[in-house]
Amino acid sequence: MTETLDPEDAKIITLARSVRARNGSTEGAAVRDETGRTYAASGVDLPSLQLTAVQVAVAMAVTSGAKALEATALVTEADGPAEQDLSVMEDLHNGTLLLAGPDGSLKGRHV
């Protein structure tokens, strides 16, 4: 998919790629809240707690006072977001999910 991204959308894809690479994770995510603040995270895979990267990034935003999301970036080799990622986004009044490959190329948008 060839598409020119808004600079703010490109920024959250870059943040998601960075956290994924830094942590050696299968996926990285970044969210931008209604005030423009950004939060980046990788998933959690512990015996007693499993969270997707999107769930962790959203939790970080919520605990910092976010009431809504403008956009979410998910960097993964998967073909699409997990159902729980879309659900947690809906909890915060949705926003756009940008799905990107590990190289940062946009694979799709989910609104």
Side-chain angles (χ1 to χ4, degrees), residues 11 30 53 61 64 69-70 73 79 81 84-86 88 98 101 105 108-109:
K11 174 183 170 183
S64 295
L69 298 178
E70 285 184 356
D79 293 332
Q84 63 263 38
D85 293 340
L86 297 175
V88 76
L98 305 164
S105 62
R109 286 179 186 264

Side-chain angles (χ1 to χ4, degrees), residues 1-3 5 13 97-101 103-109:
M1 173 179 267
T2 304
E3 181 178 337
L5 287 173
I13 289 174
L97 184 134
L98 305 164
L99 182 67
D103 64 354
S105 62
L106 189 64
K107 298 195 292 186
R109 286 179 186 264

Side-chain angles (χ1 to χ4, degrees), residues 27-86:
E27 62 181 25
V31 299
R32 184 175 60 243
D33 72 12
E34 77 280 8
T35 67
R37 293 177 297 189
T38 57
Y39 307 87
S42 59
V44 174
D45 189 14
L46 299 171
S48 63
L49 179 66
Q50 293 82 41
L51 298 170
T52 69
V54 170
Q55 288 174 319
V56 176
V58 168
M60 293 169 63
V62 168
T63 61
S64 295
K67 304 291 185 223
L69 298 178
E70 285 184 356
T72 301
L74 173 60
V75 174
T76 182
E77 292 183 18
D79 293 332
E83 189 60 40
Q84 63 263 38
D85 293 340
L86 297 175

